[in-house]
Amino acid sequence: MSGHRPLGMAASRIRREEKWLLAALERTGHPVVRIDTRASAMPGRDFPGPEAVVLNREIGSVGACYLAWSLEAAGVTVVNDAAATEVCADKWRTALALRSAGVPVPRTVLAPNVDAARAAIEEFGLPVVVKPARGSWGRRVAYLTDRHAAEAVLDHCAALPAPQARVLCVQEPIDKPGRDIRVFVIGGRAVGAMYRRSAGWRTNVSLGAQVSPCPLDEDLAKLAVRAAEATGAQIAGVDLIEGAAGERYVLEVNARAEFAGLTGACGLDVAGLIAEYLKARAAA
Amino acid sequence: MAKSCPECSSPVPVADSVLVSEIVECPDCNCELEVVARDPLMLAVAPEPEEDWGE
């Protein structure tokens, strides 16, 4: 339809969510642009003009950050924006942003190297959680209950070649009830929530956690929205855990949140809601 | 559309609406495959997840 700003999606890997998103974007009636983030250097031949609004669904966090900056430099509106994408890609930067906004987070310190991590573990005591500052899908997240396991994990980290891989967050574990909560936030509004339950300690859907609807009470919605706003993310999957007394903590804010689980658990058309948000951004 | 799985040679049914870069799964060996071309249809074993992949 003439006069409508193009809506775009950038992705190198088209899974269920990306296919649903493209279909939802097509249904808005706006021209739709697809950017294949592997196809060329940036700015690329398939970069849209500055009138476009582009959803960044690049699966690699390094590529996603570079893409967001490159699109913004070309004058394109990208969601989530480059600054938010960078913050959400890093658990420590996220923790700092959340703390700064008064959002409750578990006690966490950053260990820039393995020796610092060892000292932090000594200070926190056991059990303790150790995770890479940059990582997703539960990779290399360890719940450590004894010194031998802690030393083995730290030895492994010390042997990793990339300096970034040796930067660790050391965190106080929360005695959670075998589940965590994912709230999906779009444009400052919490649109749905699900529980993720697992027999193990990690509750990532990618690791086989089972999902079920979670009541989205006002306090939960407000907390998730505050967390997303603290990082600058307009579209976010906010992960929370509950303590023994029912208090809630935010663990992380995901800027390229997967939502097949939420769509299935709650019957929520998340792709449609995201498309409508981009349409509204294009109209603004 | 159908194409042989590059891993096990079983036929992989693919919807006409399939997109380039879309991930499909072989129904026989469950290998993740990527659509690398549509006309003609070409499938390749999908890249292994990188260290920085995720949400």
Side-chain angles (χ1 to χ4, degrees):
Chain A
M1 291 172 71
S2 63
H4 284 256
R5 291 172 67 182
L7 303 180
M9 190 184 80
S12 59
R13 191 169 170 99
I14 306 295
R15 304 214 66 165
R16 284 176 298 180
E17 286 100 337
E18 285 71 41
K19 195 147 186 190
W20 293 340
L21 284 163
L22 281 171
L25 291 177
E26 295 281 355
R27 287 194 296 272
T28 63
H30 284 238
V32 176
V33 178
R34 203 185 128 192
I35 303 168
D36 183 343
T37 46
R38 289 178 302 183
S40 62
M42 304 177 198
R45 286 187 304 272
D46 53 355
F47 263 37
E51 67 281 5
V53 178
V54 171
L55 177 68
N56 188 354
R57 292 293 297 182
E58 169 51 38
I59 196 170
S61 73
V62 172
C65 290
Y66 278 118
L67 176 69
W69 289 115
S70 299
L71 284 168
E72 286 188 1
V76 176
T77 299
V78 61
V79 180
N80 288 298
D81 67 30
T85 302
E86 288 273 10
V87 171
C88 294
D90 188 299
K91 290 182 176 59
W92 179 241
R93 292 186 66 179
T94 298
L96 291 177
L98 294 173
R99 254 190 236 159
S100 179
V103 174
V105 296
R107 182 181 164 218
T108 308
V109 297
L110 180 76
N113 55 60
V114 166
D115 288 335
R118 190 172 285 112
I121 291 170
E122 192 67 36
E123 185 188 329
F124 274 57
L126 296 167
V128 73
V129 172
V130 173
K131 55 178 94 169
R134 296 188 77 123
S136 186
W137 292 342
R139 278 190 303 263
R140 295 179 52 218
V141 177
Y143 179 80
L144 301 171
T145 58
D146 70 78
R147 290 184 181 284
H148 300 300
E151 278 306 320
V153 166
L154 294 181
D155 280 350
H156 169 82
C157 286
L160 295 173
Q164 176 68 64
R166 298 193 293 271
V167 179
L168 302 169
C169 290
V170 179
Q171 189 173 78
E172 171 191 50
I174 302 298
D175 191 15
K176 61 180 182 176
R179 69 186 185 195
D180 75 0
I181 300 170
R182 160 66 63 91
V183 180
F184 213 93
V185 176
I186 300 173
R189 190 169 73 93
V191 300
M194 66 181 183
Y195 289 121
R196 299 183 300 193
R197 288 184 172 83
S198 168
W201 179 74
R202 293 178 293 180
T203 48
N204 303 81
V205 172
S206 61
L207 297 176
Q210 300 298 306
V211 302
S212 61
C214 168
L216 187 55
D217 61 74
E218 191 178 341
D219 286 343
L220 179 61
K222 279 185 181 169
L223 184 55
V225 169
R226 277 175 58 208
E229 284 175 351
T231 63
Q234 290 297 315
I235 297 177
V238 181
D239 292 344
L240 305 99
I241 50 175
E242 306 149 286
E247 74 278 25
R248 291 161 174 160
Y249 304 88
V250 175
L251 281 184
E252 57 186 74
V253 178
N254 298 281
R256 185 205 150 267
E258 288 154 0
F259 53 85
L262 183 65
T263 296
C266 300
L268 195 62
D269 181 14
V270 178
L273 291 171
I274 291 173
E276 286 301 309
Y277 172 73
L278 294 177
K279 186 177 170 183
R281 288 289 298 269
Chain B
M1 289 194 275
K3 192 75 180 176
S4 298
C5 172
E7 272 291 283
C8 73
S9 302
S10 295
V12 180
V14 175
D16 289 345
S17 60
V18 78
L19 302 169
V20 172
S21 301
E22 187 170 338
I23 303 300
V24 298
E25 192 175 288
C26 174
D28 239 5
C29 70
N30 299 122
C31 183
E32 276 199 338
L33 306 170
E34 180 179 341
V35 175
V36 293
R38 267 185 55 93
D39 300 310
L41 180 65
M42 285 181 59
L43 301 177
V45 175
E48 287 290 318
E50 298 274 2
E51 182 64 25
D52 72 329
W53 281 19
E55 299 188 86

